[in-house]
Amino acid sequence: MFASVTSATVVGVEPRAVRVEVSLATAQRETFTIVGLPDTAVREARERVRAAITATGLRFHRGKVTVNLAPADVPKAGSAYDLPIALGVAAALGEAPRSCREVVALGELALDGTVRSARGALAAGIVARQRGQRCLLGVSALAEGALSGAEVTGVDSLAQAIAVVAGTDPGTTDTAPTPPSRDPAVDLASVRGQEVARRAVEVAAAGGHHLLLSGAPGSGKTMLARALAGVLPDLTEHEALDVAQAHAAAGRPPFLDARPPFRSPHHTATPAAIIGGGSGMPVPGELTLADRGVLFLDELAEFPPYLLDTLRQPIEEGAVHVARKGASVSFPCRVQVVAATNPCPCGFHGDSRSPCRCAPAAVGRYRARLSGPLVDRFDLRVPVHRVEPAELLGPGGEATASVRGRVEVARRRQIDRGVLNRALDRDALDALPWDPDAHRLATRAIERFDLTARGWDRVRRVARTIADLAGDDSANADHMAEALGLRGAV
């Protein structure tokens, strides 16, 4: 006797279908075996499934039960396979209709046969949508599964799940989600003074450029970083679903949100928390949770140097590759990195009012925590100076809504060319129209400030963004001069 039911798992952040195959055979002793790289929680499904089937009033096979979770080379974790295993066993015994194979099921079973929600509801919904099938979930997981756009049905118990498959019970279809609370972005109008830094925020948002803010404590670096998150354009529905899936893969409540994510890990976070990892199947870290949004690294120099250097390749490639004994996966991290740092341990080196108390050697050691290759990856490097009293008491600056309008127009110009300016390679940059004076100015800057080849490309990308904000087809010397200034190369 044989039956199969479809379920789902997540590899990296990608949903994968899992075929739950159930084979029943006669044997002198009752055995229940689960194969297909199950972890402890999956293997323990034997007891939950047996008790749930018995509590539901169905008979259980007294011979040999073998469950295969295919593909067998992908690790399976958690309690989410309880419901599909129970449906498969019931179908193989004739206690449930064979149409179980036409649904995607996911959920944990209690010993009395009730269905609890389990991790992976969004992945199950995506798999069901791709296969054109209905998705069966625990009632409390309906809102998450519905984000996929699939036909999702909630069930309270194994008995109801069998009835839904048989067509005698409609199940629950109320999928109204509860939006999570989130801190609102800082409005740029609340930032006093800091004209250069405000301009850097606008340019960074328009081109997706990485931004490094350096200045004394209390000068407004964190406010500027949080304001940048509000300047970014809204995500498309497809992008929002990618973000939701990344959060679901990390075990966090997913929700479709048009606003780009903003993540701000503490400097004591572990490499696995930021890069991704864990035992068995790796899970995403902060880099992936910030995908298509902003990763804010406050107190940059307080992060361990080895951890900062591990960020160099992922933020350049837009993906991070994590290999563990259980699997090797790739997580997306198309992030915009915004970092804030003090110029020295006490924070007041170069301040006009508070004298620096650090020894020169201490200042050098503090700055040496940021490697040259890491700093070179920041397109914009802007000093943030103390705000003068007159500026604090004066009117606020331009509001976020107004700045975002210009950013959206500039981004549309870039999308029409194919990619955001931060992703332009050298050939694409060469093919764009440039005023001869702009290149002459950049050439002098290379000779004077010892720009690297990477720095040369980054300066041109920023100049192109400034031209897009101005609505100019060709980048001129003024655009290049501003780009050099915002990189700290003037």
Side-chain angles (χ1 to χ4, degrees), residues 143-229:
E144 178 180 337
L147 298 179
S148 66
E151 179 187 357
V152 293
T153 302
V155 292
D156 290 314
S157 64
L158 175 59
Q160 187 182 24
I162 294 174
V164 168
V165 174
T168 59
D169 189 323
T172 302
T173 56
D174 182 12
T175 60
T178 301
S181 60
R182 58 180 294 174
D183 295 333
V186 174
D187 195 302
L188 269 173
S190 302
V191 180
R192 298 294 193 268
Q194 307 296 3
E195 292 303 319
V196 174
R198 286 170 55 92
R199 175 61 172 173
V201 165
E202 179 178 348
V203 173
H209 304 291
H210 304 312
L211 171 63
L212 176 61
L213 301 169
S214 176
S219 55
K221 301 185 296 295
T222 301
M223 281 188 69
L224 287 162
R226 294 190 177 276
L228 186 146

Side-chain angles (χ1 to χ4, degrees), residues 269-314:
T270 64
I274 293 181
I275 302 296
S279 60
M281 181 65 73
V283 297
E286 292 290 341
L287 258 178
T288 301
L289 294 177
D291 184 40
R292 300 188 183 277
V294 174
L295 179 68
F296 177 45
L297 302 178
D298 200 4
E299 304 295 345
L300 183 66
E302 298 299 330
F303 283 82
Y306 73 89
L307 176 56
L308 293 179
D309 286 336
T310 62
L311 298 178
R312 284 155 37 187
Q313 184 176 354

Side-chain angles (χ1 to χ4, degrees), residues 407-423:
V407 168
E408 289 174 344
V409 172
R411 283 213 172 188
R412 282 196 292 269
R413 292 170 64 92
Q414 297 168 48
I415 292 171
D416 289 342
R417 291 197 296 265
V419 295
L420 292 183
N421 286 341
R422 75 177 180 198

Side-chain angles (χ1 to χ4, degrees), residues 14-245:
E14 180 185 353
R16 298 273 187 90
V18 173
R19 191 180 185 207
V20 180
E21 302 170 337
V22 178
S23 175
L24 307 181
T26 57
Q28 292 183 345
R29 295 177 55 210
E30 181 179 328
T31 60
F32 195 147
T33 306
I34 301 177
V35 297
L37 287 185
D39 71 348
T40 301
V42 177
R43 287 193 295 269
E44 290 174 346
R46 296 173 300 190
E47 308 306 324
R48 294 190 294 270
V49 168
R50 181 185 287 109
I53 289 179
T54 303
T56 304
L58 306 175
R59 65 188 176 93
F60 191 81
H61 185 62
R62 297 304 177 184
K64 181 179 181 180
V65 180
T66 304
V67 177
N68 179 43
L69 305 178
D73 61 344
V74 175
K76 318 298 187 310
S79 57
Y81 303 106
D82 292 2
L83 179 57
I85 290 174
L87 287 174
V89 171
L93 284 169
E95 300 283 352
R98 291 284 177 171
S99 54
C100 286
R101 72 183 64 180
E102 299 173 2
V103 300
V104 176
L106 184 140
E108 177 184 324
L109 286 177
L111 299 183
D112 62 356
T114 57
V115 178
R116 301 187 179 114
S117 62
R119 284 180 62 173
L122 179 55
I126 293 174
V127 169
R129 187 195 65 205
Q130 293 170 344
R131 297 168 66 94
Q133 296 176 335
R134 177 192 291 190
C135 183
L136 293 187
L137 301 168
V139 173
S140 58
L142 273 183
E144 178 180 337
L147 298 179
S148 66
E151 179 187 357
V152 293
T153 302
V155 292
D156 290 314
S157 64
L158 175 59
Q160 187 182 24
I162 294 174
V164 168
V165 174
T168 59
D169 189 323
T172 302
T173 56
D174 182 12
T175 60
T178 301
S181 60
R182 58 180 294 174
D183 295 333
V186 174
D187 195 302
L188 269 173
S190 302
V191 180
R192 298 294 193 268
Q194 307 296 3
E195 292 303 319
V196 174
R198 286 170 55 92
R199 175 61 172 173
V201 165
E202 179 178 348
V203 173
H209 304 291
H210 304 312
L211 171 63
L212 176 61
L213 301 169
S214 176
S219 55
K221 301 185 296 295
T222 301
M223 281 188 69
L224 287 162
R226 294 190 177 276
L228 186 146
V231 175
L232 295 176
D234 287 346
L235 301 176
T236 65
E237 184 176 350
H238 172 72
E239 292 170 339
L241 183 59
D242 285 347
V243 172
Q245 178 56 28

